[in-house]
């Protein structure tokens, strides 16, 4: 009963932290969130995405990002139920974030089947209050949903191998058939987020390799069925992954396209008079390898994990790390004790953490909490492992220490831990819900909604509405907030597709979207212009200014009438 109460308490706390004020904090929708919402809206109407592709299986063209499509499908029902607003695109991320907290409890029970119930409770509890996981659950980040499917895949795999704990008898009946479901879950994660396309296969390979004898002898039927089902589901994605479009995003952000590495290598060889040994030491391939490991280990820096967090305010409030300061001693203790004790399926945690960062090491921007979110909840499990064992040590104290009786000492230790944890959490909570929206509303394209509400109310007065692209992707906001009929949009839209694959919607209906409003000003027409306030001509008549939450200006509406 006590165990059930604590689990329920964790679920309540996790639900509150992921759903409370989710429509207003983060303060606005990013263009990716709006894209998820409108594509879900479009699919829910006629089964086609915004550009008319019927039931897209491997990608959404979107802005030329070629996004994995699962998040859009998961948002169809929320959009149908709640409408096209700030809540519906974020629902799936918050909901699956909550489920990941619950799954973490069962994951830890599978990894450490003989451990006390406190260890899975600590793990789920730490994930429930994790700044990292909270922020990524409160916006429409498909990475957060992919994390759920990966965690679910691991839980199902361990259930198939050890249905009653490590060393249990071979699966009989329904339990062993969780193996194909595990593989399906892993593959679905690959249809959800790009990073999962590397992390999920590596996790599966590790799980299969460690359990290869068991799979090929005691669970052969389930194993080959799983391979067949997984290959069948993965095949359409494989056909897409070998296309140029699949490589666009990687080519845009990877370190291997950075010419500076080659230039530096050539300069160093030239400085050494082109000596043969210099061509070996300063080989560009070695240079890229060094860059890769540098970027890889950036994601493990103490400043990133415990002090400042991600440099992008969408993924961190910048006042605390991805984890809390109070977690530092327990995290370190957890790593040391895990390798010392090697209990149950302990190896999964370090292996998962190591392979989870592999894709992020190729990116130019590091550290990057979104690209490595698939490592969660390994950080929280390691912290919980250290906390659990140190808690056990504190609970076993039966003698005086420095003249202090053990009951008094335990009271001091527990009280100190509770106070430190509470202060850390309250500081994060206060900053996130009180200060964060005002400080970083500009990072969330704040102002689009208000500007589009104004243009919608006044568009009958004007011939055209010319919208700046300075804040990025305005067309999708117009579609979203006007709940524009997808069929009508496809008929009216003038679309440019670059050779590199990027997609630009130039106009539909009365709306035109331009890089420079001043270069597209026509005073012979009765036009409404939406531009950055600093770009408004002095002779124009400003109709309305749209402000950020901190009082700064976001956009301005003006005309020459």
């Amino acid at each position: 009963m006590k165990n059930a109460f604590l689990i329920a308490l964790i679920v309540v706390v996790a639900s509150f932290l992921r759903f409370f004020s989710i429509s207003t904090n983060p303060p606005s929708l990013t263009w990716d969130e709006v894209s998820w919402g409108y594509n879900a809206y479009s699919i829910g109407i006629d089964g086609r995405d915004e550009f008319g592709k019927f039931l897209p299986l491997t990608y959404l063209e979107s802005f030329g990002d070629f996004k994995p499509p699962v998040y859009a499908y998961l948002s169809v029902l929320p959009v149908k139920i709640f409408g096209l607003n700030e809540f519906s695109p974020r629902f799936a991320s918050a909901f699956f974030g909550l489920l990941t907290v619950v799954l973490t409890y069962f994951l830890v029970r599978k990894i450490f089947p003989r451990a006390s119930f406190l260890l899975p409770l600590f793990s789920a509890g730490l994930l429930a209050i994790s700044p990292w996981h909270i922020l990524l659950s409160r916006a429409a980040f498909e990475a957060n949903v992919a994390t759920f499917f990966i965690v679910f895949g691991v839980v199902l795999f361990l259930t198939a191998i050890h249905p009653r704990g490590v060393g249990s008898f071979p699966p009989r009946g329904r339990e062993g058939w969780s193996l194909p479901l595990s593989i399906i879950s892993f593959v679905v994660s690959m249809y959800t987020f790009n990073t999962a396309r590397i992390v999920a296969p590596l996790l599966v390979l590790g799980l299969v390799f460690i359990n290869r004898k068991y799979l090929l002898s005691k669970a052969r039927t389930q194993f080959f069925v799983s391979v067949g089902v997984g290959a069948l589901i993965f095949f359409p994605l494989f056909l897409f992954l070998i296309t140029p479009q699949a490589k666009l995003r990687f080519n845009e952000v990877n370190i291997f396209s950075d010419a500076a590495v080659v230039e530096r290598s050539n300069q160093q060889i030239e400085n050494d008079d082109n000596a043969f040994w210099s061509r070996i030491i300063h080989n560009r391939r070695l240079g890229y390898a060094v860059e890769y490991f540098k970027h890889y280990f950036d994601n493990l820096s103490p400043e990133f994990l415990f002090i400042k967090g991600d440099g992008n305010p969408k993924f961190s409030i910048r006042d605390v790390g991805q984890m809390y300061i109070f977690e530092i001693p327990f995290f370190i203790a957890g790593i040391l004790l895990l390798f010392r004790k090697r209990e149950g399926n302990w190896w999964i945690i370090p292996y998962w953490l190591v392979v989870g960062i592999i894709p992020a090491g190729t990116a130019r921007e590091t550290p990057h909490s979104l690209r490595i979110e698939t490592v969660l909840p390994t950080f929280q499990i390691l912290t919980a492992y250290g906390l659990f064992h140190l808690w056990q040590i504190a609970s076993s104290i039966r003698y005086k220490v420095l003249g202090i009786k053990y009951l008094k000492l335990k009271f001091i230790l527990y009280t100190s831990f509770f106070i430190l944890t509470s202060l850390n959490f309250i500081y994060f909570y206060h900053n996130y819900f009180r200060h964060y929206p005002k400080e970083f509303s500009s990072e969330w394209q704040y102002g689009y909604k208000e500007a589009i509400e104004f243009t919608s109310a006044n568009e009958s007065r004007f011939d055209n509405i010319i919208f700046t692209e300075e804040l990025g992707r305005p067309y999708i906001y117009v579609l979203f907030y006007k709940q524009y009929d997808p069929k009508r949009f496809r008929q009216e839209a003038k679309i440019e597709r670059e050779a590199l694959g990027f997609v630009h919607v130039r106009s539909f209906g009365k709306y035109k979207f331009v890089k420079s409003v001043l270069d597209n000003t026509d005073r012979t027409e009765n036009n409404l212009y939406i531009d950055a306030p600093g770009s408004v001509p002095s002779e124009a008549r400003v109709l309305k200014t749209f402000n950020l939450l901190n009082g700064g200006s976001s956009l301005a509406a003006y005309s020459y009438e």
Side-chain angles (χ1 to χ4, degrees):
M1 183 63 71
K2 182 180 179 181
N3 195 5
F5 171 77
L6 292 174
I7 294 172
L9 179 62
I10 290 172
V11 170
V12 170
V13 171
S15 300
F16 175 82
L17 293 174
R18 282 152 184 79
F19 282 100
F20 174 67
S21 297
I22 194 175
S23 297
T24 55
N25 192 22
S28 183
L29 296 175
T30 66
W31 57 66
D32 283 323
E33 292 182 285
V34 174
S35 177
W36 290 126
Y38 189 75
N39 275 279
Y41 175 70
S42 180
I43 291 170
I45 289 175
D46 60 5
R48 300 181 183 276
D49 70 4
E50 61 178 297
F51 295 120
K53 186 173 182 180
F54 183 69
L55 296 179
L57 180 60
T58 54
Y59 68 86
L60 294 173
E61 189 177 18
S62 192
F63 315 115
D65 289 340
F66 295 92
K67 295 178 173 67
V70 166
Y71 197 95
Y73 286 107
L74 293 176
S75 298
V76 170
L77 192 58
V79 168
K80 285 283 188 183
I81 295 173
F82 304 114
L84 207 53
N85 51 43
E86 287 79 7
F87 179 77
S88 56
R90 291 174 172 172
F91 177 84
S93 183
F95 179 71
F96 283 95
L98 172 61
L99 291 184
T100 304
V101 173
V102 177
L103 269 182
T104 297
Y105 174 85
F106 296 100
L107 172 68
V108 175
R109 289 192 62 180
K110 290 296 179 183
I111 295 176
F112 305 107
R114 295 184 178 89
S116 163
F117 76 95
L118 287 175
L119 179 55
L121 281 174
F122 285 165
S123 301
L126 286 170
L127 189 64
I129 64 170
S130 163
W132 192 343
H133 198 249
I134 290 169
L135 261 70
L136 296 188
S137 295
R138 291 180 60 87
F141 292 125
E142 66 271 32
N144 200 49
V145 176
T147 297
F148 163 81
F149 285 115
I150 288 175
V151 174
F152 195 34
V154 175
V155 170
L156 289 171
F157 195 102
L158 295 178
T159 299
I161 298 299
H162 306 295
R164 288 168 290 280
V166 177
S168 63
F169 292 105
R172 300 179 184 278
R174 292 176 296 177
E175 288 172 320
W177 288 102
S178 64
L179 189 61
L181 296 177
S182 167
I183 301 303
I184 290 172
S185 188
F186 280 118
V187 176
V188 171
S189 76
M190 298 168 69
Y191 280 89
T192 307
F193 187 54
N194 290 323
T195 297
R197 294 170 178 177
I198 298 174
V199 177
L202 289 175
L203 271 175
V204 171
L205 286 174
L207 289 164
V208 169
F209 178 78
I210 294 296
N211 297 284
R212 62 192 182 282
K213 292 182 180 178
Y214 177 80
L215 291 170
L216 294 175
S217 59
K218 304 293 179 63
R220 187 180 304 170
T221 301
Q222 292 95 330
F223 176 66
F224 284 109
V225 169
S226 301
V227 171
V229 171
L232 184 65
I233 300 173
F234 175 71
F235 186 69
L237 180 58
F238 170 76
L239 294 179
F240 170 67
L241 291 177
I242 59 178
T243 65
Q245 290 85 352
K247 302 179 181 67
L248 282 173
R249 183 62 176 165
F250 177 76
N251 292 337
E252 183 185 359
V253 302
N254 80 89
I255 59 173
F256 304 113
S257 59
D258 184 5
V261 175
V262 177
E263 292 170 2
R264 185 167 61 249
S265 175
N266 291 339
Q267 183 62 55
Q268 289 168 331
I269 293 172
E270 184 180 338
N271 293 343
D272 293 326
D273 298 324
N274 205 32
F276 78 92
W277 53 266
S278 183
R279 292 197 297 271
I280 296 173
I281 295 174
H282 301 302
N283 186 285
R284 68 179 183 275
R285 295 173 185 82
L286 183 60
Y288 280 123
V290 171
E291 282 294 302
Y292 175 80
F293 284 109
K294 175 182 178 296
H295 285 250
Y296 182 98
F297 286 106
D298 279 348
N299 293 286
L300 296 173
S301 71
E303 183 178 14
F304 167 69
L305 291 177
F306 301 107
I307 309 299
K308 285 291 186 181
D310 198 302
N312 188 331
K314 290 188 181 73
F315 314 135
S316 166
I317 68 170
R318 305 293 293 129
D319 288 322
V320 300
Q322 300 303 124
M323 301 166 69
Y324 296 105
I325 290 178
F326 83 81
E327 295 182 78
I328 294 175
F330 305 113
F331 180 68
I332 295 171
I335 295 172
L336 297 175
L337 289 168
L338 184 74
F339 281 92
R340 181 181 177 181
K341 292 179 173 294
R342 292 181 287 184
E343 300 174 292
N345 291 297
W346 70 276
W347 65 271
I348 291 175
I349 298 170
Y351 177 74
W352 189 342
L353 194 155
V354 169
V355 302
I357 303 177
I358 287 175
T362 65
R364 295 185 189 181
E365 295 179 14
T366 52
H368 202 293
S369 61
L370 186 69
R371 292 194 182 110
I372 67 167
E373 201 211 343
T374 48
V375 303
L376 299 184
T378 60
F379 284 99
Q380 287 71 33
I381 294 173
L382 285 169
T383 303
Y385 196 78
L387 173 60
F388 169 68
H389 285 288
L390 293 178
W391 187 285
Q392 281 191 320
I393 292 171
S395 300
S396 64
I397 295 174
R398 290 290 183 272
Y399 49 84
K400 292 183 179 180
V401 177
L402 299 176
I404 304 174
K405 292 182 179 180
Y406 73 89
L407 287 176
K408 188 176 181 180
L409 178 63
K410 283 200 291 188
F411 175 78
I412 293 172
L413 290 174
Y414 292 164
T415 303
S416 299
F417 170 74
F418 177 77
I419 292 174
L420 182 60
T421 304
S422 299
L423 288 175
N424 263 207
F425 173 73
I426 292 170
Y427 181 79
F428 161 74
Y429 180 88
H430 173 75
N431 276 272
Y432 180 66
F433 285 100
R434 185 71 175 174
H435 301 295
Y436 177 83
K438 293 182 180 179
E439 288 183 27
F440 297 113
S441 61
S442 63
E443 298 289 335
W444 293 87
Q445 288 76 54
Y446 192 87
Y448 268 138
K449 179 181 180 181
E450 292 74 14
I452 292 165
E453 288 176 346
F454 178 82
T455 61
S456 297
N458 293 276
E459 64 181 25
S460 60
R461 296 168 47 195
F462 298 95
D463 300 326
N464 299 291
I465 299 169
I466 315 298
F467 228 114
T468 181
E469 291 184 329
E470 188 167 326
L471 268 65
R473 321 292 189 184
Y475 88 88
I476 196 68
Y477 286 89
V478 175
L479 293 175
F480 183 92
Y481 285 115
K482 287 179 66 63
Q483 300 189 25
Y484 213 83
D485 180 12
K487 295 178 182 177
R488 181 183 170 191
F489 166 69
R490 293 172 206 139
Q491 292 172 351
E492 298 175 346
K494 292 182 180 179
I495 301 168
E496 290 181 6
R497 288 179 170 83
E498 296 181 5
L500 295 175
F502 297 107
V503 178
H504 303 278
V505 174
R506 293 305 179 196
S507 68
F508 60 85
K510 284 189 174 184
Y511 288 82
K512 295 181 181 180
F513 310 96
V514 297
K515 292 181 180 179
S516 171
V517 172
L518 291 178
D519 292 341
N520 290 270
T521 297
D522 186 348
R523 300 193 186 188
T524 64
E525 295 182 340
N526 180 27
N527 293 338
L528 174 63
Y529 299 94
I530 308 293
D531 203 356
S535 301
V536 178
S538 57
E539 66 272 24
R541 186 164 76 93
V542 177
L543 304 176
K544 189 167 185 179
T545 300
F546 308 98
N547 294 326
L548 300 169
L549 292 177
N550 64 2
S553 298
S554 173
L555 292 167
Y558 66 92
S559 70
Y560 294 95
E561 62 179 6

